[in-house]
Amino acid sequence: MNQSLPSKSPESLRSYRWFGPDDLRSFGHRSRLKGMGWSDEDYKGKPVIALLNTWSDLNTCHSHLRERAEEIKRGVWQAGGFPVEVPVMSLGEMLMKPTTMLYRNLLAMETEEVLRCHPIDGAVLMGGCDKTTPALLMGAISMDIPVIFFPAGAMLKARWKDQTLGSGSDAWKYWAERCAGNLCDEAWCEIENSIGRSAGVCMTMGTASTMMCIAEALGMCLPNASSIPAVIAEHSRLASATGRRIVDMVWEDLKPSDILTAGSFQNAVVTDMAIGGSTNALVHLLALARRAGISLEMADFDRLSRQTPLVANLRPVGKYLMEDFYNAGGLTALMQQIRSLLDVEQKTVNGKTLGENIQSAEVYDADVIRTTDNPVASSGGTYVLHGNLAPDGCVIKPAAAEARLLKHRGQAVVFENYPDLKARINQEDLDVTADSIIVLKSAGPQGAPGFPEWGMLPIPNKLLKQGVRDMVRISDARMSGTSYGTCVLHVSPESHVGGPLALVRTGDWIELNVEQRSIHLDVSDEVLAQRQRAWTAPQPKYVRGYGQVFLKHVTQAHQGCDFDFLEDRTKTSDPEIF
Ligand code: FES
């Protein structure tokens, strides 16, 4: 133990309630640990540190986390703590269906309850693949004991022939070429063999890297942790440093509620805009803020987007990958570039302010991390749009779209749901042109259900063969952070609950004006009212189990899609130990 640190005594540790008293129940707790080979000297009066590990054989991005768990434990031992590894649900983006978003709130609940019901004084949250980061943080915010986030880190850069491959983004790109008849089967197989280079999360600025960066901007992980690739030695050293630090955090009683403020959320939004982060970040940040009891609305994203230049030249918006970002200085260097936009007095998990953490950071490649005078785009990565088609808002990532489409009027080609889209999108007689607007309904939180990443709607093969590579597409779905194109997403309220998107019909004119932040369905109010009266609510997709809980309690996209009963800030009391 660092003798200068404790403000808590061993007897005041939460775990001491389980292990300290001279009674029958504590006898049981101690004797069973001794049955596992532990002695009093190992755990009694020491911070018990849980490693909430989202490792799984079915999570392709976290295959290195068992090894990292051992390295985190090493750090916990060094600092005088007692590490315990606790597996929690793993939300592997690639193999989990229908969508990991259906289970984000379940992992958040599990995180909170696992921390509550065990003799745990502090925790390391081990995650990275998309929803794992917000889920772990949401649960930890609600439990509010000392925690530190350990980012899984991104994969190394992939190569195919003389091309650099970025996960997700280049899969979409080369799939379009294959559908257009420009890529042979052999080349497609070579890309499949090459694009997953190593353990780690997608190495583009997809949702995983976005959320790791946001965790750091919030102050919830060690400086530059979000930028370190998954399989280099520095990632192992980060693991042991994280283990050492969480023990000190327990003695200092440094909790999420001591770190997360309106200022830290503003830092997270500004950073998200500057990195050209995933549109999914809005949903997760809204949920995190509500858990933390901090006011954050879609209007805040729009306001901060307008004043924040996009300075990270990373795919899918730009050119480079996460390994390049790390070599260019990483997130601390980027935050130093936008320092004037940040609240640098915000506290972070290492006990220092954000400003202190980024003070000495330097940019080593000015094409990867641009200056604010030479940005990739003059305003932030995600725009919030409103209009009669999306009264509660929707989002678009303009820097990932073809500029000519950002102001567009076209006729809708409507698909009622995803099976309808799959069945008809490539029919030769589909009445669609490059100027059409493809619309998908029933893809939101309740409609799909689960709010899947279907929003990069496919361009019909017959248009791909004509050379079309982008079209305006509108849905109440999300899209992968690795996706790109003129995709209007998160239309709220969603069609399944009777939002205006439900009323759109093929042939309707729609006007998109991204600069004006507007989306307009050019149909009279009278006609829309008639259609509304004729609309009938679809049957719920789940009638039992977790799915039913999800449908009954999930909020809409502009509210963060948390469960309404989990947003309550009333503290749930610790269990009585009988
Ligand atoms: Fe895990 Fe992309 S699949 S981060």
Side-chain angles (χ1 to χ4, degrees), residues 61-73:
C61 300
H62 292 183
S63 60
H64 57 312
L65 289 190
R66 286 176 119 180
E67 197 180 313
R68 294 295 172 273
E70 294 307 313
E71 293 155 351
I72 293 171
K73 287 179 189 173

Side-chain angles (χ1 to χ4, degrees), residues 229-245:
V231 294
I232 67 171
E234 191 176 346
H235 201 257
S236 296
R237 296 199 299 274
L238 170 71
S240 56
T242 299
R244 286 189 291 275
R245 178 58 196 153

Side-chain angles (χ1 to χ4, degrees), residues 61 93-94 129-130 201-202 208:
C61 300
E93 199 64 29
M94 297 309 292
C129 188
D130 287 31
V201 303
C202 290

